[in-house]
Every structure is written in structure tokens, then in C-alpha cells.
Coordinates of all heavy atoms in Angstrom, one line a residue:
P1 N 6.5 7.1 -6.8 CA 6.7 6.2 -5.7 C 5.7 5.1 -5.6 O 4.5 5.5 -5.5 CB 6.7 7.2 -4.5 CG 5.9 8.3 -5.0 CD 6.0 8.4 -6.5
V2 N 6.1 3.9 -5.6 CA 5.1 2.8 -5.6 C 5.5 1.8 -4.6 O 6.7 1.6 -4.2 CB 5.0 2.1 -7.0 CG1 4.5 3.0 -8.0 CG2 6.2 1.4 -7.4
V3 N 4.5 1.0 -4.1 CA 4.8 -0.1 -3.2 C 4.6 -1.3 -4.2 O 3.6 -1.6 -4.7 CB 3.7 -0.3 -2.1 CG1 3.9 -1.5 -1.3 CG2 3.8 1.0 -1.2
S4 N 5.8 -1.9 -4.5 CA 5.8 -2.9 -5.6 C 5.5 -4.3 -5.0 O 5.7 -4.6 -3.8 CB 7.1 -2.9 -6.3 OG 8.2 -3.4 -5.4
A5 N 5.2 -5.2 -5.9 CA 4.9 -6.6 -5.5 C 6.2 -7.2 -5.0 O 6.2 -8.0 -4.0 CB 4.4 -7.4 -6.7
R6 N 7.3 -7.0 -5.6 CA 8.6 -7.5 -5.2 C 9.0 -7.1 -3.8 O 9.3 -8.0 -3.0 CB 9.7 -7.1 -6.2 CG 11.1 -7.7 -5.8 CD 12.2 -7.2 -6.8 NE 12.3 -5.8 -6.8 CZ 13.0 -5.1 -5.9 NH1 13.6 -5.7 -4.9 NH2 13.1 -3.8 -6.0
R7 N 8.8 -5.8 -3.5 CA 9.2 -5.4 -2.1 C 8.2 -5.9 -1.1 O 8.7 -6.3 0.0 CB 9.1 -3.8 -2.1 CG 10.2 -3.1 -3.0 CD 11.6 -3.3 -2.5 NE 11.9 -2.9 -1.2 CZ 12.3 -1.7 -0.8 NH1 12.6 -0.8 -1.8 NH2 12.5 -1.4 0.4
L8 N 7.0 -6.0 -1.4 CA 6.0 -6.6 -0.5 C 6.3 -8.1 -0.2 O 6.3 -8.6 0.9 CB 4.6 -6.4 -1.0 CG 3.8 -5.4 -0.4 CD1 2.4 -5.2 -1.1 CD2 3.6 -5.6 1.1
Y9 N 6.5 -8.8 -1.3 CA 6.8 -10.2 -1.2 C 8.1 -10.5 -0.4 O 8.1 -11.3 0.5 CB 7.0 -10.8 -2.6 CG 7.2 -12.3 -2.6 CD1 6.2 -13.2 -2.4 CD2 8.5 -12.8 -2.8 CE1 6.3 -14.5 -2.4 CE2 8.7 -14.2 -2.8 CZ 7.6 -15.0 -2.6 OH 7.8 -16.4 -2.6
E10 N 9.1 -9.7 -0.6 CA 10.4 -9.8 0.2 C 10.1 -9.5 1.7 O 10.6 -10.2 2.5 CB 11.4 -8.8 -0.3 CG 12.0 -9.2 -1.7 CD 12.8 -8.2 -2.3 OE1 13.0 -7.1 -1.8 OE2 13.4 -8.5 -3.4
A11 N 9.3 -8.5 1.9 CA 9.0 -8.1 3.3 C 8.2 -9.2 4.0 O 8.4 -9.6 5.1 CB 8.2 -6.8 3.4
L12 N 7.2 -9.7 3.3 CA 6.3 -10.8 3.9 C 7.1 -12.1 4.1 O 6.9 -12.8 5.1 CB 5.2 -11.1 3.0 CG 4.1 -10.0 2.9 CD1 3.1 -10.3 1.8 CD2 3.4 -9.9 4.3
A13 N 8.1 -12.3 3.3 CA 9.0 -13.5 3.4 C 9.8 -13.5 4.7 O 10.2 -14.5 5.2 CB 9.9 -13.7 2.2
R14 N 10.1 -12.3 5.2 CA 10.9 -12.1 6.4 C 10.1 -12.3 7.7 O 10.6 -12.3 8.8 CB 11.6 -10.8 6.4 CG 12.7 -10.7 5.4 CD 13.5 -9.4 5.6 NE 12.8 -8.2 5.7 CZ 12.6 -7.3 4.7 NH1 13.1 -7.6 3.5 NH2 11.9 -6.2 4.9
V15 N 8.8 -12.3 7.6 CA 7.9 -12.4 8.7 C 7.6 -13.9 9.0 O 7.1 -14.6 8.2 CB 6.6 -11.7 8.5 CG1 5.6 -11.8 9.7 CG2 6.8 -10.2 8.2
P16 N 8.0 -14.4 10.2 CA 7.7 -15.8 10.5 C 6.2 -16.0 10.8 O 5.5 -15.2 11.3 CB 8.5 -16.0 11.8 CG 8.7 -14.6 12.4 CD 8.7 -13.7 11.3
G17 N 5.8 -17.2 10.4 CA 4.4 -17.5 10.6 C 3.5 -16.8 9.6 O 3.9 -16.3 8.6
H18 N 2.2 -16.8 9.9 CA 1.2 -16.2 9.1 C 0.3 -15.3 9.9 O 0.0 -15.6 11.0 CB 0.3 -17.4 8.4 CG -0.8 -16.8 7.6 ND1 -0.6 -16.3 6.4 CD2 -2.1 -16.7 7.8 CE1 -1.7 -15.9 5.9 NE2 -2.7 -16.2 6.8
S19 N 0.0 -14.2 9.3 CA -0.9 -13.2 10.0 C -2.0 -12.8 9.0 O -1.8 -12.7 7.8 CB -0.1 -12.0 10.4 OG -1.0 -11.1 11.0
S20 N -3.1 -12.5 9.5 CA -4.2 -12.1 8.7 C -4.2 -10.5 8.6 O -5.1 -10.0 7.9 CB -5.6 -12.6 9.2 OG -5.8 -12.0 10.5
A21 N -3.3 -9.9 9.2 CA -3.2 -8.4 9.2 C -1.9 -7.9 8.7 O -0.8 -8.6 8.9 CB -3.4 -7.9 10.7
L22 N -1.9 -6.8 8.0 CA -0.7 -6.2 7.4 C -0.7 -4.7 7.6 O -1.8 -4.1 7.3 CB -0.6 -6.6 5.9 CG 0.6 -6.0 5.2 CD1 1.9 -6.5 5.7 CD2 0.5 -6.2 3.7
V23 N 0.3 -4.1 8.1 CA 0.5 -2.7 8.2 C 1.6 -2.3 7.2 O 2.7 -2.8 7.3 CB 0.9 -2.2 9.6 CG1 1.1 -0.7 9.6 CG2 -0.2 -2.6 10.6
V24 N 1.3 -1.4 6.2 CA 2.3 -0.9 5.3 C 2.6 0.5 5.6 O 1.8 1.4 5.7 CB 1.7 -1.0 3.8 CG1 2.7 -0.4 2.8 CG2 1.3 -2.4 3.4
R25 N 3.9 0.7 6.0 CA 4.4 2.0 6.3 C 5.4 2.4 5.2 O 6.3 1.6 4.9 CB 5.2 2.0 7.7 CG 4.2 1.7 8.8 CD 4.9 1.7 10.1 NE 5.2 3.1 10.5 CZ 6.0 3.4 11.5 NH1 6.5 2.4 12.3 NH2 6.3 4.6 11.8
T26 N 5.2 3.6 4.7 CA 6.1 4.1 3.6 C 7.1 5.0 4.1 O 7.0 5.6 5.2 CB 5.2 4.8 2.6 OG1 4.5 5.8 3.2 CG2 4.2 3.8 1.9
L27 N 8.1 5.2 3.3 CA 9.2 6.2 3.6 C 9.1 7.4 2.8 O 8.6 7.4 1.7 CB 10.6 5.5 3.3 CG 10.9 4.2 4.2 CD1 12.1 3.6 3.7 CD2 10.9 4.6 5.6
P28 N 9.5 8.6 3.3 CA 10.1 8.7 4.6 C 9.1 8.7 5.7 O 8.0 9.1 5.5 CB 10.8 10.1 4.5 CG 9.9 10.9 3.5 CD 9.5 9.8 2.5
N29 N 9.5 8.1 6.8 CA 8.5 8.0 7.9 C 9.0 8.9 9.1 O 9.3 8.4 10.1 CB 8.5 6.5 8.3 CG 7.3 6.2 9.1 OD1 6.3 6.9 9.0 ND2 7.3 5.2 10.0
D30 N 8.9 10.2 8.8 CA 9.3 11.1 9.8 C 8.1 11.8 10.5 O 7.0 11.5 10.1 CB 10.2 12.2 9.2 CG 9.6 12.8 8.0 OD1 8.4 12.8 7.8 OD2 10.4 13.4 7.1
T31 N 8.3 12.7 11.4 CA 7.2 13.3 12.1 C 6.4 14.2 11.2 O 5.2 14.5 11.5 CB 7.7 14.1 13.3 OG1 8.7 15.1 12.9 CG2 8.4 13.2 14.3
A32 N 6.9 14.7 10.1 CA 6.1 15.5 9.2 C 4.9 14.7 8.6 O 3.9 15.3 8.2 CB 7.0 16.0 8.0
K33 N 5.0 13.4 8.6 CA 3.9 12.6 8.1 C 2.6 12.7 8.9 O 1.5 12.5 8.5 CB 4.3 11.1 8.0 CG 3.4 10.2 7.2 CD 3.8 8.8 7.2 CE 4.7 8.6 6.0 NZ 5.1 7.2 5.9
L34 N 2.8 13.1 10.2 CA 1.7 13.2 11.1 C 0.7 14.3 10.7 O -0.5 14.2 11.0 CB 2.2 13.5 12.5 CG 3.0 12.4 13.2 CD1 3.6 12.9 14.5 CD2 2.1 11.2 13.4
S35 N 1.2 15.3 10.0 CA 0.3 16.4 9.6 C 0.4 16.7 8.1 O -0.1 17.8 7.6 CB 0.6 17.7 10.4 OG 1.9 18.1 10.2
R36 N 1.0 15.8 7.3 CA 1.1 16.1 5.9 C -0.2 16.2 5.2 O -1.1 15.4 5.4 CB 1.9 14.9 5.3 CG 2.2 15.1 3.8 CD 3.2 14.1 3.3 NE 4.5 14.3 3.9 CZ 5.2 13.3 4.4 NH1 4.9 12.0 4.2 NH2 6.4 13.5 5.0
R37 N -0.3 17.1 4.3 CA -1.5 17.3 3.4 C -1.1 16.8 2.0 O -0.2 17.4 1.4 CB -2.0 18.7 3.5 CG -2.4 19.2 4.9 CD -3.0 20.5 4.9 NE -4.2 20.6 4.1 CZ -5.4 20.2 4.4 NH1 -5.6 19.7 5.6 NH2 -6.4 20.4 3.6
Y38 N -1.7 15.8 1.5 CA -1.3 15.2 0.3 C -1.8 15.9 -1.0 O -1.2 15.8 -2.0 CB -1.7 13.7 0.3 CG -0.9 12.9 1.2 CD1 -1.3 12.7 2.5 CD2 0.3 12.3 0.7 CE1 -0.5 11.9 3.3 CE2 1.1 11.6 1.6 CZ 0.7 11.3 2.9 OH 1.5 10.6 3.7
E39 N -2.9 16.7 -0.9 CA -3.4 17.3 -2.1 C -2.4 18.4 -2.5 O -1.9 19.2 -1.7 CB -4.8 17.9 -1.9 CG -4.9 19.0 -0.9 CD -5.1 18.5 0.5 OE1 -5.3 17.3 0.8 OE2 -5.1 19.4 1.4
G40 N -2.1 18.4 -3.8 CA -1.2 19.4 -4.3 C 0.2 19.2 -4.1 O 1.1 19.9 -4.6
A41 N 0.5 18.2 -3.3 CA 1.9 17.9 -3.0 C 2.5 16.8 -4.0 O 1.8 16.5 -4.9 CB 2.0 17.3 -1.6
A42 N 3.7 16.4 -3.8 CA 4.2 15.3 -4.6 C 3.3 14.1 -4.5 O 2.7 13.9 -3.4 CB 5.6 15.0 -4.1
P43 N 3.2 13.3 -5.5 CA 2.3 12.1 -5.4 C 2.6 11.2 -4.3 O 3.8 11.0 -4.0 CB 2.6 11.4 -6.8 CG 3.2 12.4 -7.6 CD 3.9 13.4 -6.7
A44 N 1.6 10.8 -3.6 CA 1.7 9.8 -2.5 C 2.0 8.4 -3.0 O 1.6 8.1 -4.1 CB 0.4 9.8 -1.7
P45 N 2.8 7.6 -2.3 CA 3.0 6.3 -2.7 C 1.7 5.5 -2.9 O 0.7 5.8 -2.2 CB 3.8 5.7 -1.6 CG 4.4 6.8 -0.9 CD 3.4 8.0 -1.0
Y46 N 1.7 4.5 -3.8 CA 0.5 3.7 -4.0 C 0.9 2.3 -4.3 O 2.1 2.0 -4.6 CB -0.4 4.3 -5.1 CG 0.3 4.3 -6.5 CD1 0.2 3.3 -7.3 CD2 1.1 5.4 -6.8 CE1 0.9 3.3 -8.5 CE2 1.8 5.4 -8.0 CZ 1.6 4.3 -8.9 OH 2.3 4.3 -10.1
L47 N -0.1 1.4 -4.2 CA 0.2 0.0 -4.5 C 0.0 -0.3 -6.0 O -1.0 0.1 -6.5 CB -0.7 -0.9 -3.7 CG -0.3 -1.2 -2.2 CD1 -0.4 0.0 -1.4 CD2 -1.1 -2.4 -1.7
T48 N 0.9 -1.1 -6.5 CA 0.6 -1.6 -7.9 C -0.4 -2.7 -7.8 O -0.7 -3.3 -6.8 CB 1.9 -2.2 -8.5 OG1 2.3 -3.3 -7.7 CG2 3.0 -1.1 -8.6
R49 N -1.0 -3.0 -9.0 CA -1.9 -4.1 -9.1 C -1.3 -5.4 -8.5 O -1.9 -6.2 -7.7 CB -2.4 -4.4 -10.5 CG -3.1 -5.7 -10.7 CD -3.4 -6.1 -12.1 NE -4.3 -5.2 -12.8 CZ -5.7 -5.4 -12.7 NH1 -6.2 -6.4 -12.0 NH2 -6.5 -4.6 -13.3
E50 N -0.1 -5.7 -8.9 CA 0.6 -6.9 -8.5 C 0.9 -6.9 -7.0 O 0.8 -8.0 -6.4 CB 2.0 -7.0 -9.3 CG 1.8 -7.2 -10.8 CD 1.5 -5.9 -11.5 OE1 1.6 -4.8 -11.0 OE2 1.1 -6.0 -12.7
A51 N 1.1 -5.7 -6.4 CA 1.3 -5.7 -5.0 C 0.0 -6.0 -4.2 O 0.0 -6.8 -3.3 CB 1.8 -4.3 -4.5
A52 N -1.1 -5.5 -4.7 CA -2.4 -5.9 -4.1 C -2.6 -7.4 -4.3 O -3.2 -8.0 -3.4 CB -3.5 -5.1 -4.8
E53 N -2.2 -8.0 -5.4 CA -2.4 -9.4 -5.6 C -1.5 -10.2 -4.6 O -2.0 -11.3 -4.1 CB -2.1 -9.8 -7.1 CG -3.1 -9.3 -8.0 CD -2.7 -9.4 -9.5 OE1 -1.5 -9.7 -9.8 OE2 -3.5 -9.1 -10.4
V54 N -0.3 -9.7 -4.3 CA 0.5 -10.4 -3.3 C -0.2 -10.4 -2.0 O -0.2 -11.4 -1.2 CB 1.9 -9.7 -3.2 CG1 2.7 -10.2 -2.0 CG2 2.7 -10.0 -4.5
I55 N -0.8 -9.3 -1.6 CA -1.5 -9.2 -0.3 C -2.6 -10.1 -0.3 O -2.8 -10.8 0.8 CB -1.9 -7.7 -0.1 CG1 -0.7 -6.8 0.1 CG2 -2.9 -7.6 1.1 CD1 -1.0 -5.3 0.1
V56 N -3.4 -10.2 -1.3 CA -4.5 -11.2 -1.4 C -4.0 -12.6 -1.3 O -4.6 -13.4 -0.5 CB -5.4 -10.9 -2.6 CG1 -6.4 -12.0 -2.8 CG2 -6.1 -9.6 -2.6
A57 N -3.0 -12.9 -2.0 CA -2.4 -14.3 -2.0 C -1.9 -14.7 -0.7 O -1.9 -15.8 -0.3 CB -1.4 -14.4 -3.1
A58 N -1.4 -13.7 0.1 CA -0.9 -14.0 1.4 C -2.0 -14.2 2.5 O -1.7 -14.5 3.6 CB 0.0 -12.8 1.9
G59 N -3.2 -14.0 2.1 CA -4.3 -14.2 3.0 C -4.6 -13.0 3.9 O -5.2 -13.2 5.0
V60 N -4.1 -11.8 3.6 CA -4.3 -10.7 4.5 C -5.8 -10.3 4.4 O -6.3 -10.0 3.4 CB -3.4 -9.5 4.0 CG1 -3.7 -8.2 4.8 CG2 -1.9 -9.9 4.2
R61 N -6.4 -10.2 5.6 CA -7.8 -9.8 5.7 C -7.9 -8.4 6.3 O -9.0 -7.8 6.1 CB -8.5 -10.8 6.6 CG -8.6 -12.2 5.9 CD -9.3 -13.2 6.8 NE -10.5 -12.7 7.3 CZ -11.0 -13.0 8.5 NH1 -10.3 -13.8 9.3 NH2 -12.1 -12.6 8.9
H62 N -6.9 -7.9 7.0 CA -7.0 -6.6 7.6 C -5.7 -5.8 7.1 O -4.6 -6.2 7.4 CB -6.9 -6.7 9.1 CG -8.0 -7.6 9.6 ND1 -9.3 -7.3 9.7 CD2 -7.9 -8.9 10.0 CE1 -10.0 -8.4 10.2 NE2 -9.1 -9.3 10.4
L63 N -6.0 -4.7 6.4 CA -4.9 -4.0 5.8 C -4.9 -2.5 6.3 O -6.0 -1.9 6.2 CB -5.0 -4.0 4.2 CG -4.0 -3.2 3.4 CD1 -2.6 -3.7 3.7 CD2 -4.4 -3.3 2.0
V64 N -3.8 -2.0 6.7 CA -3.6 -0.6 7.2 C -2.5 0.0 6.4 O -1.4 -0.6 6.3 CB -3.3 -0.6 8.7 CG1 -3.1 0.9 9.2 CG2 -4.5 -1.2 9.5
V65 N -2.7 1.1 5.8 CA -1.7 1.9 5.1 C -1.5 3.3 5.7 O -2.5 3.8 6.2 CB -2.0 1.9 3.6 CG1 -2.0 0.5 3.0 CG2 -3.3 2.6 3.3
D66 N -0.3 3.9 5.5 CA -0.1 5.2 6.1 C -0.2 6.3 5.0 O 0.4 7.3 5.1 CB 1.2 5.3 6.8 CG 2.4 5.1 6.0 OD1 2.2 4.7 4.8 OD2 3.5 5.3 6.4
V67 N -0.9 6.0 3.9 CA -1.1 6.9 2.8 C -2.6 7.1 2.6 O -3.4 6.3 3.1 CB -0.4 6.5 1.5 CG1 1.1 6.6 1.7 CG2 -0.8 5.1 1.2
P68 N -3.0 8.1 1.9 CA -4.5 8.4 1.7 C -5.2 7.3 1.0 O -6.4 7.1 1.2 CB -4.5 9.7 0.9 CG -3.2 10.3 1.0 CD -2.2 9.2 1.3
S69 N -4.6 6.5 0.1 CA -5.3 5.5 -0.7 C -4.4 4.4 -1.1 O -3.1 4.6 -1.1 CB -5.9 6.2 -1.9 OG -6.5 5.3 -2.8
L70 N -4.9 3.3 -1.4 CA -4.1 2.2 -2.0 C -3.7 2.6 -3.4 O -2.7 2.1 -4.0 CB -4.9 0.9 -2.1 CG -5.4 0.3 -0.8 CD1 -6.1 -1.0 -1.1 CD2 -4.2 0.1 0.2
D71 N -4.5 3.4 -4.1 CA -4.3 3.8 -5.5 C -3.7 5.2 -5.7 O -3.8 6.0 -4.8 CB -5.6 3.7 -6.2 CG -6.1 2.3 -6.3 OD1 -5.5 1.4 -7.0 OD2 -7.1 2.0 -5.6
R72 N -3.1 5.4 -6.9 CA -2.6 6.7 -7.1 C -3.8 7.7 -7.1 O -4.9 7.4 -7.3 CB -1.9 6.8 -8.5 CG -2.7 6.5 -9.7 CD -1.9 6.7 -11.0 NE -1.1 5.5 -11.2 CZ 0.0 5.6 -11.9 NH1 0.5 6.7 -12.3 NH2 0.7 4.5 -12.1
A73 N -3.4 9.0 -6.8 CA -4.4 10.0 -6.5 C -5.3 10.2 -7.7 O -6.6 10.4 -7.6 CB -3.8 11.3 -6.1
H74 N -4.8 10.3 -8.9 CA -5.6 10.6 -10.1 C -5.4 9.4 -11.1 O -4.6 9.4 -12.0 CB -5.1 11.9 -10.7 CG -5.2 13.0 -9.8 ND1 -6.4 13.6 -9.4 CD2 -4.2 13.7 -9.1 CE1 -6.1 14.6 -8.5 NE2 -4.8 14.7 -8.3
D75 N -6.3 8.4 -10.9 CA -6.2 7.2 -11.7 C -7.4 7.1 -12.6 O -7.7 6.0 -13.2 CB -6.0 6.0 -10.9 CG -7.2 5.5 -10.2 OD1 -8.2 6.3 -10.0 OD2 -7.2 4.4 -9.7
G76 N -8.2 8.1 -12.8 CA -9.4 8.1 -13.6 C -10.5 7.2 -13.1 O -11.3 6.7 -13.8
G77 N -10.5 7.0 -11.8 CA -11.5 6.2 -11.2 C -11.4 4.7 -11.3 O -12.3 3.9 -11.0
R78 N -10.2 4.2 -11.8 CA -10.0 2.8 -12.0 C -9.9 2.1 -10.6 O -10.4 1.0 -10.5 CB -8.7 2.6 -12.8 CG -8.9 3.0 -14.3 CD -7.8 2.6 -15.1 NE -6.5 3.2 -14.7 CZ -6.1 4.4 -15.1 NH1 -6.7 5.0 -16.0 NH2 -4.9 4.9 -14.7
L79 N -9.2 2.7 -9.6 CA -9.1 2.1 -8.3 C -8.6 0.6 -8.4 O -9.2 -0.3 -7.7 CB -10.4 2.2 -7.5 CG -10.9 3.6 -7.3 CD1 -12.3 3.6 -6.7 CD2 -9.9 4.5 -6.5
V80 N -7.6 0.4 -9.1 CA -7.1 -1.0 -9.4 C -6.8 -1.8 -8.1 O -7.3 -2.9 -7.9 CB -5.9 -1.0 -10.3 CG1 -5.4 -2.4 -10.5 CG2 -6.3 -0.4 -11.7
A81 N -6.0 -1.2 -7.2 CA -5.6 -1.9 -6.0 C -6.8 -2.1 -5.1 O -6.9 -3.2 -4.5 CB -4.5 -1.2 -5.3
H82 N -7.7 -1.2 -5.0 CA -8.9 -1.3 -4.2 C -9.7 -2.5 -4.7 O -10.1 -3.4 -4.0 CB -9.8 -0.1 -4.3 CG -9.4 1.0 -3.3 ND1 -8.4 1.9 -3.6 CD2 -9.8 1.2 -2.1 CE1 -8.3 2.7 -2.6 NE2 -9.1 2.4 -1.6
R83 N -9.9 -2.6 -6.0 CA -10.7 -3.6 -6.6 C -10.1 -5.0 -6.4 O -10.8 -6.0 -6.2 CB -11.0 -3.3 -8.1 CG -11.9 -2.1 -8.2 CD -12.1 -1.8 -9.7 NE -12.6 -0.4 -9.9 CZ -13.8 0.0 -9.7 NH1 -14.7 -0.8 -9.3 NH2 -14.1 1.3 -9.9
V84 N -8.8 -5.1 -6.5 CA -8.1 -6.4 -6.4 C -8.2 -6.8 -4.9 O -8.5 -8.0 -4.6 CB -6.6 -6.3 -6.8 CG1 -5.8 -7.5 -6.3 CG2 -6.5 -6.1 -8.3
Y85 N -8.0 -5.9 -4.0 CA -8.0 -6.3 -2.5 C -9.4 -6.5 -2.0 O -9.6 -7.5 -1.4 CB -7.3 -5.2 -1.7 CG -7.3 -5.6 -0.2 CD1 -6.5 -6.7 0.2 CD2 -8.1 -5.0 0.7 CE1 -6.5 -7.1 1.5 CE2 -8.2 -5.4 2.0 CZ -7.3 -6.4 2.4 OH -7.4 -6.8 3.7
W86 N -10.3 -5.6 -2.3 CA -11.7 -5.8 -1.8 C -12.6 -6.5 -2.8 O -13.6 -6.9 -2.6 CB -12.3 -4.4 -1.4 CG -11.8 -4.0 -0.1 CD1 -12.1 -4.4 1.1 CD2 -10.7 -3.0 0.1 NE1 -11.4 -3.8 2.1 CE2 -10.6 -2.9 1.5 CE3 -10.0 -2.2 -0.7 CZ2 -9.7 -2.1 2.1 CZ3 -9.1 -1.4 -0.1 CH2 -8.9 -1.3 1.3

């Protein structure tokens, strides 16, 4: 499960005007998410490098996500989306 550049770009295109803040909410977005423990579970959604680049290009300065990390849980310490955004 990934947050792709295409999906982010399409979502940002539907927002009128410009904002320096972005909240990314992933699906399913049910009440189980309030107490979900991600370790040992199915992989949590993460941002692709290209998705992080779309966020940067859009001028987003404040980013909130509803998953434990921008990057996949076990990426060998690469932290690609983190490094692109920050």
C-alpha cells in the first residue's frame, strides 16, 4: 500500500488555492485506526519518493500523516521520503 505521486497530485489539484499545510489520511479510515498497532501487522501505507517530491513542489511546509512514518517500516534506513521532504 503506497501513497503515490499520481494520487497526491490529483488530490492537490482538486483543492482551490494554495496551502502550506497538508493532511494525508489513508484508507481504511475506520475507528480501528485509533488504536491500531502497526508492528507485526500488515505493512502500513508509505509515501513513494515521487509522492514526497510532489509535496515539496506544492510548497507544503506542514505535513501530517495518519501512519507511523512517511517511509516503509523496513527500508534499510534509507528513509527516502523523509530525506526528500525534510
